Amino acid sequence: GPQRSKPENDILREARELAAQSVREVVLIAQDTTAYGRDLGRGDALPGLLRAILGAAPEIAWLRVLYAYPQNVTPALIDVLAGEERVCRYLDIPLQHAHPDVLRRMRRPHDMECVRDLIARLRRAMPDVALRSTFIVGFPGETEAEFEALLDLLRSMALDKVGVFAYSAEEGTVAADMPDQVPAEVIAERYERAMIAQQEVSLARNQAQVGRDLQILVEGVADGLIVGRSYREAPEIDGLVLMPGKATVGDLVEARIVAAQEYDL
């Protein structure tokens, strides 16, 4: 169905309630967060909403945005991400594939030059930005050449965080009735190849963090081990930051990154 924007006053009230409960991080999430306000006749309303939340709930330490469609990431939104210290320099851009023909079959935007331009603009504005996306392998009709285009994108775009999903036919969907369904064993093999390709990128991106001092939000403590996240890791999605020592859940602590794995620091 059509997207419907939650009234801003309701969002601000909820942010204040969360702040009163000592919540440290608020995540804005929607099918397309960058579409916020469009149904109300307000184009590009997300940047203003972010600033309004910061003002309404000054106790909130981090404000994070998930699911930003690339064609709707505006200069104003980039300015907020780059200029507001409490807004995480992190953006989840659900691309789903790299080949325009597959994207057309998915009925998704297929201008990959727009995507590459956006990634370049984000990194110019914020060299330390963490970028995440998700991709589907084995969508009906996906050829080996189309899959190779996805691998090329993973290596050339070097996104910090990537989720890979194996396509599965769901009864009642248009895709389930498409011709040229990809065999399950081919889908599984492509999934493994995509994961391996991204693991190499993820390790390199994490290794680039070694030596940095990062603010870490503590999420768990056990037997002298602190488990937390930096601005680079979204909750319940990305990896973790592991530290020795003592802290309290909810603390924000400064930590120097000394080692990197494929997913964790």
Side-chain angles (χ1 to χ4, degrees), residues 142-207:
E142 183 187 59
T143 65
E144 179 63 22
E146 290 169 343
F147 173 70
E148 288 286 348
L150 174 54
L151 294 183
D152 289 344
L153 180 139
L154 291 176
R155 295 179 180 119
S156 64
M157 206 168 282
L159 298 170
D160 300 86
K161 321 285 183 182
V162 165
V164 179
F165 296 88
Y167 169 81
S168 61
E170 295 292 336
E171 186 178 351
T173 62
V174 173
D177 294 326
M178 284 182 174
D180 302 319
Q181 297 283 323
V182 180
E185 61 272 19
V186 175
I187 294 177
E189 185 260 350
R190 288 178 181 172
Y191 172 83
E192 289 296 326
R193 288 163 62 194
M195 289 295 293
I196 291 170
Q198 178 57 31
Q199 281 175 354
E200 296 173 358
V201 173
S202 178
L203 178 60
R205 300 296 290 181
N206 274 354
Q207 286 173 335

Side-chain angles (χ1 to χ4, degrees), residues 42 57 62 74-75 101 119 125 138-139 164 178-179 216 230 254 263:
R42 297 168 52 204
W62 290 353
T74 64
D101 289 346
I119 300 301
F139 192 79
V164 179
M178 284 182 174
I216 307 301
S230 75
E254 293 289 327
Y263 303 116

